[in-house]
Amino acid sequence: MSGAHEKPEPTEPDPTEADGAAPVIETAAADGGSTHAVRALLATPRFWVAPIAAVVGIMCLLAAMYMGAIVNPEKNLHEFSVDLVVEDTGASQGANAPRAAFGNEVAQGIVDGTRDSGLTLRVNDRGTALDRLASAQTYGVIIIPADFSQSAIDLAGSVVGRDTPSPPTIDVLTNRRSGTFASSILTTAVDRIKTSVNERFGAQLTKTVRDRLAQNDVPFVGLASYAFSAPVVFSVSDAQPLPGGAANGLSAFYFTILLVLAGFTGALIVHSLVDGMLGAIPIEIGPLYRLRRRLPISRRGTLVVKWWIMFLIAMVQSALYIAVCAAVGMDNPAPFTLWMYSTLAVTAVGVTASSIMALFGTPGMIVNLVFFVILGLPSSGGAVPLEASPRIFAWLAEVEPMRQIYLGVRSILYFNGDFAAGLGHSLVATLVGLAIGLILGSVAVRVYDAKGWQRVPRADDVPSVAAGGVSVAAGESPTVRE
């Protein structure tokens, strides 16, 4: 290598350069002609507009995606799955009165009250509902217990008795393993349901008690009226509390980001370093600048080398990620399973990102940024559930790698690697993504190689020495030292 301020000197053969490569051609610093060319280029609006428009456009897209996904979850709430279990067996109201079935009435009130709220209620038995909750197929379970009606009757009878019975209680089970923000959304929805149920059922229970007391000439005191204004208690609890070291349900999301970045960023680094060592692009370190002689390797050969490097990186980096996470105290019940899936995920992202750059060239870096990161994070569902984001993110989630990887990592960390909790879907989607990356890259480079589009500058693209550059024959690769 040569320093930026060294004088030109004869170039010694580089042992890494192949025989028969293009001759090394050097030039002195730019003369007056090149200075004029620089000034002319700086005076061209396109020189300024292109980079500014690219950066501003990408950052605006970033802002629209990220802020649009989180600013109004209640307004965007749709198809937020909650299971409803009605176990109430009813209760007798007396010899001449019909049997009470307050549980069914309250359940119908819950269904009616949530019809336009964005919640999707499914009536199931307790076993089915808990299985769905344990496999992340629903965000919560509302249970009306078997003694609900009897508790309401006992509460009504306490007006003339001395006992203080337990109020009718509805159990609400959440699962923070499905997402921290999802539990918060369900808790907020339950608060609205609680208000609606108590207004409706409280008025009904108050009327029933008044009528019964009036038949027996017993006054209805104000304290009783207050007690019956909100007779139903909602008990919210976590069905499967998270262990320590789970970052309150966010460790799976952040680990997913690490995997995607390892594949995406790793592919960018490998792309630059490999191309530099093969002589396709210059290697520049601080003031040092070097463009090696181009080695006689095809586009396909170059891409295959990058794929294999990404696979090796995936194995090593996944193991190091798990080691680092263990060192900082992250809960990981299945390290080997997580390592195997992480290796697959990083490989899939790295291979696809490399193929995209092979297909598009330099613009492929922007395509990768948009596809893997800008569109990936808000559509992953790791921070805000997709059911609380605009529907466009649910559509993007069908094809975005980050969503598929998140489901797999979450299943391994929080649901014992249950295929029904997302790991099965994630494995299939990741393998399909890997296959698409391999096919896309293979087809693109084969076509380019068949067309003779080699990675060398055309003669008319290389400036002449008179312009301060280097003049080479077609197919040759210049080496410049300034």
Side-chain angles (χ1 to χ4, degrees):
M1 294 185 180
S2 300
H5 301 290
E6 292 181 0
K7 297 181 179 179
E9 59 183 30
T11 303
E12 298 180 357
D14 191 330
T16 65
E17 296 169 350
D19 294 336
V24 177
I25 302 177
E26 302 177 0
T27 107
D31 57 13
S34 63
T35 302
H36 176 74
V38 169
R39 290 177 178 174
L41 180 61
L42 293 178
T44 304
R46 184 176 60 182
F47 177 83
W48 301 93
V49 171
I52 293 173
V55 173
V56 170
I58 292 297
M59 292 303 106
C60 285
L61 178 62
L62 183 71
M65 291 293 104
Y66 287 14
M67 302 309 296
I70 66 172
V71 293
N72 205 337
E74 293 186 12
K75 179 181 177 182
N76 295 320
L77 197 65
H78 62 278
E79 299 177 2
F80 191 88
S81 178
V82 178
D83 282 23
L84 177 62
V85 177
V86 183
E87 298 181 326
D88 183 31
T89 58
S92 174
Q93 299 187 77
N96 299 322
R99 187 174 180 81
F102 295 135
N104 291 332
E105 295 176 10
V106 170
Q108 187 59 49
I110 293 175
V111 172
D112 294 341
T114 58
R115 184 160 289 129
D116 298 322
S117 65
L119 270 64
T120 299
L121 288 179
R122 292 178 174 84
V123 179
N124 280 312
D125 60 87
R126 179 186 285 261
T128 301
L130 293 181
D131 286 344
R132 282 169 48 80
L133 184 65
S135 58
Q137 298 179 53
T138 189
Y139 288 109
V141 178
I142 300 174
I143 302 175
I144 301 177
D147 62 349
F148 184 84
S149 291
Q150 188 60 58
S151 297
I153 295 297
D154 293 343
L155 180 64
S158 67
V159 176
V160 294
R162 295 183 178 181
D163 295 334
T164 305
S166 299
T169 302
I170 294 177
D171 297 319
V172 180
L173 301 179
T174 64
N175 193 347
R176 299 182 75 86
R177 297 166 187 260
S178 299
T180 300
F181 202 76
S183 297
S184 300
I185 291 174
L186 179 59
T187 302
T188 302
V190 166
D191 288 339
R192 291 196 298 267
I193 293 173
K194 176 181 178 180
T195 301
S196 175
V197 166
N198 276 314
E199 287 179 353
R200 185 170 179 171
F201 184 63
Q204 178 185 352
L205 191 61
T206 299
K207 183 178 182 304
T208 300
V209 172
R210 281 183 181 276
D211 293 343
R212 293 296 177 84
L213 293 178
Q215 293 175 3
N216 296 281
D217 296 326
V218 177
F220 186 74
V221 298
L223 185 60
S225 178
Y226 176 76
F228 292 138
S229 64
V232 182
V233 174
F234 281 73
S235 176
V236 181
S237 61
D238 197 339
Q240 294 180 296
L242 284 163
N248 203 22
L250 289 174
S251 59
F253 176 54
Y254 281 99
F255 195 85
T256 299
I257 295 175
L258 291 177
L259 296 181
V260 173
L261 288 179
F264 160 68
T265 310
L268 294 180
I269 296 173
V270 168
H271 175 78
S272 298
L273 293 180
V274 169
D275 282 355
M277 288 185 286
L278 294 176
I281 63 174
I283 298 175
E284 190 170 8
I285 303 175
L288 304 179
Y289 180 93
R290 180 69 178 274
L291 178 58
R292 295 175 180 269
R293 286 193 176 98
R294 188 183 68 84
L295 298 180
I297 183 171
S298 65
R299 288 178 180 269
R300 181 175 180 273
T302 302
L303 183 58
V304 170
V305 168
K306 293 175 181 177
W307 284 347
W308 277 108
I309 292 176
M310 283 308 308
F311 174 65
L312 296 175
I313 288 174
M315 291 193 297
V316 174
Q317 189 60 65
S318 296
L320 292 175
Y321 273 162
I322 292 173
V324 170
C325 290
V328 299
M330 187 188 86
D331 180 73
N332 181 6
F336 183 68
T337 302
L338 183 61
W339 174 77
M340 288 194 298
Y341 178 72
S342 298
T343 299
L344 173 62
V346 174
T347 301
V349 173
V351 165
T352 305
S354 298
S355 296
I356 289 174
M357 287 185 286
L359 174 63
F360 294 105
T362 301
M365 299 182 183
I366 299 178
V367 174
N368 282 332
L369 175 63
V370 172
F371 181 64
F372 289 108
V373 179
I374 294 179
L375 300 182
L377 276 171
S379 62
S380 68
V384 178
L386 297 176
E387 294 84 354
S389 299
R391 293 180 184 271
I392 186 175
F393 294 103
W395 302 334
L396 288 172
E398 297 295 326
V399 297
E400 277 296 327
M402 191 174 291
R403 171 62 177 177
Q404 321 311 324
I405 296 173
Y406 171 70
L407 292 177
V409 172
R410 186 184 67 175
S411 176
I412 294 170
L413 291 181
Y414 303 155
F415 296 98
N416 299 316
D418 186 358
F419 273 47
L423 182 57
H425 170 83
S426 182
L427 283 172
V428 173
T430 307
L431 288 171
V432 169
L434 175 59
I436 291 174
L438 291 171
I439 294 172
L440 176 67
S442 297
V443 172
V445 294
R446 281 182 181 274
V447 171
Y448 292 170
D449 284 338
K451 295 286 187 179
W453 294 334
Q454 298 185 18
R455 305 181 73 190
V456 294
R458 297 181 306 176
D460 55 351
D461 286 339
V462 181
S464 65
V465 175
V470 183
S471 178
V472 297
E476 294 181 344
S477 179
T479 297
V480 180
R481 294 181 181 179
E482 294 181 353

